Amino acid sequence: MVKTLKGNIVSKSSKIIIGGCSFTDKDFPIINKRDMKIRYNRDVDLSDVKVWPEIIKEKTTYEVINLGVCGYDNSQILNSLLDEVSKHDSKEIAFVIAAWTEWPRNLKSNYVETTLNYMNTFDLYCINKEVDYRQIQMCNIKKEQLFKDVVKHSMLYELDKSKIIGFPMFKLGGGFDGEDLIGNNIDKSEHPNKRGHEILAETILGSLK
């Protein structure tokens, strides 16, 4: 249960566990600063950029456990979350959030069925553990053919859509992913800028009800 107290969000359960890729990695602003210098010969000040889990941590009284790692694929995101949840008493966990990366990453084929299987595994695991959870597709998956392949797959409809931010995760289907959500609030490396992370934090916090 979430309630407001002096502008903060609090809960009887004390922890939020978050998994993701570079959109979520708390160290990515440091990595990005280095890459911007190497790739674009450009010095940038990213000292005030906080990734969205860190903003959630600041705006709430939760202990935020951020498992995001730059370069993670969806199997690594899933496994990191399941492993971390298993270490805690379910009663201490307020929410578990899966912030999925691009579907084809490290997959040569069958990435629609494979990714939907990851999502269903996460869904069922959280239900079994009796912990509340959310899923959000972070990286853009606008391609029309991918959308057609997903919407005709039965596993999409086995998911609890009330737990998926932006369902069905495609702009073509009336939903959205993280990149749709932040719009032009990206930096030159095509990752969220300061405002982009603020938008992600605001949206995800708004779903935790």
Side-chain angles (χ1 to χ4, degrees), residues 1-3 9-18 56 60-65 84-85 88-98 122 126-127 129-134 163 204-205 207-209:
M1 180 178 180
V2 178
K3 62 181 179 179
I9 296 177
V10 298
S11 173
K12 292 180 180 179
S13 301
S14 61
K15 299 174 182 177
I16 298 180
I17 299 172
I18 300 170
I56 288 177
T60 70
T61 59
Y62 292 120
E63 175 189 350
V64 174
I65 300 172
E84 187 65 31
V85 170
H88 302 271
D89 185 333
S90 295
K91 294 178 182 178
E92 298 177 350
I93 301 173
F95 299 98
V96 185
I97 302 172
F122 177 72
C126 290
I127 291 170
K129 286 289 188 177
E130 298 183 333
V131 296
D132 204 352
Y133 63 98
R134 298 292 185 272
K163 302 297 185 181
I204 293 168
L205 268 177
S207 78
L208 305 184
K209 298 177 181 179

Side-chain angles (χ1 to χ4, degrees), residues 142 147 165-178 180-181:
K142 284 182 180 176
F147 172 66
I165 302 167
F167 186 88
M169 303 170 288
F170 288 87
K171 199 171 184 178
L172 285 168
F176 60 84
D177 58 34
D180 293 327
L181 186 63

Side-chain angles (χ1 to χ4, degrees), residues 6-48:
K6 294 182 180 179
N8 285 336
I9 296 177
V10 298
S11 173
K12 292 180 180 179
S13 301
S14 61
K15 299 174 182 177
I16 298 180
I17 299 172
I18 300 170
C21 61
S22 57
F23 276 49
T24 303
D25 185 347
K26 66 181 177 60
D27 293 323
F28 187 73
I30 299 170
I31 297 169
N32 199 15
K33 183 175 182 178
R34 179 199 66 203
D35 288 350
M36 293 281 274
K37 179 65 175 176
I38 294 171
R39 293 166 61 189
Y40 305 110
N41 193 28
R42 179 183 173 198
D43 286 315
V44 290
D45 182 9
L46 300 173
S47 59
D48 65 341

